[in-house]
Amino acid sequence: PHKDIWCIFQPHTYTRTKAFFDEFAEALSLADHVVLADIYAARETDTLGMSSAALTEKIKELGTDAYYFPSFEEIENFVSEKCIHGDLLITMGAGDVVNIGEALLRVIHSFHNFFIHKKTEISTEKCFFLCLYGAIIAITEREENGKDTAKEE
């Protein structure tokens, strides 16, 4: 049911990224579009010359659309422009990559609340956040209300 699958990935540690470099590239290349954040170093420092930029290039060599951005803000801005109605966006990694999804959800809730309170009609095709994450908003509302209040359109 999804047009394209977008994967935002944050590798965890330099040693693990080096050890599984080819495997990461192969697995990530199954998505239609891959966006990489900097490696979450945890306890390590980069003494291996390993980087998310290098992994991005390997994914491109395998024929998948791939991008690297050094900051979460850049990733959020890029994805909000490129990921469109019908696409599926996945964030994954062992670091703080979850913050990207949470930041996008905060924006979605702000838009949602604005349009609800202003009683403004908006086409879901013209509002990236509402159309891409409408299901998440409905799920969140169900959880907040403690019952199933979502309606199918």
Side-chain angles (χ1 to χ4, degrees):
H2 303 290
K3 291 181 183 175
D4 283 344
I5 297 174
W6 287 79
C7 177
I8 301 174
F9 180 63
Q10 182 180 36
H12 185 243
T13 73
Y14 297 100
T15 54
R16 183 172 294 133
T17 304
K18 182 175 177 91
F20 296 106
F21 187 81
D22 290 330
E23 291 85 353
F24 279 143
E26 187 177 328
L28 292 168
S29 71
L30 296 174
D32 297 300
H33 312 278
V34 178
V35 180
L36 280 101
D38 276 331
I39 295 171
Y40 187 78
R43 64 200 171 276
E44 297 181 343
T45 57
D46 183 13
T47 59
L48 305 171
M50 188 53 49
S51 70
S52 290
L55 186 54
T56 301
E57 291 307 312
K58 180 67 175 180
I59 294 166
K60 286 180 182 179
E61 288 173 16
L62 296 173
T64 298
D65 189 36
Y67 306 88
Y68 159 73
F69 296 99
S71 76
F72 284 1
E73 182 178 359
E74 290 172 283
I75 292 171
E76 292 161 17
N77 291 335
F78 176 78
V79 168
S80 68
E81 291 177 14
K82 300 294 183 182
C83 193
I84 60 170
H85 178 65
D87 289 353
L88 174 67
L89 175 65
I90 301 167
T91 60
M92 59 186 195
D96 52 355
V97 70
V98 67
N99 294 337
I100 294 171
E102 290 175 354
L104 291 172
L105 285 173
R106 279 191 295 277
V107 172
I108 294 161
H109 282 288
S110 294
F111 277 124
H112 177 71
N113 290 335
F114 173 79
F115 291 117
I116 294 301
H117 293 298
K118 297 290 183 182
K119 296 187 174 25
T120 303
E121 291 192 25
I122 182 166
S123 165
T124 55
E125 287 77 21
K126 294 186 179 183
C127 183
F128 159 78
F129 293 113
L130 291 178
C131 65
L132 182 61
Y133 293 104
I136 294 173
I137 292 170
I139 290 167
T140 303
E141 288 174 348
R142 283 193 304 247
E143 290 172 354
E144 289 172 359
N145 295 332
K147 60 184 176 181
D148 189 355
T149 58
K151 297 178 184 173
E152 283 189 12
E153 293 183 296

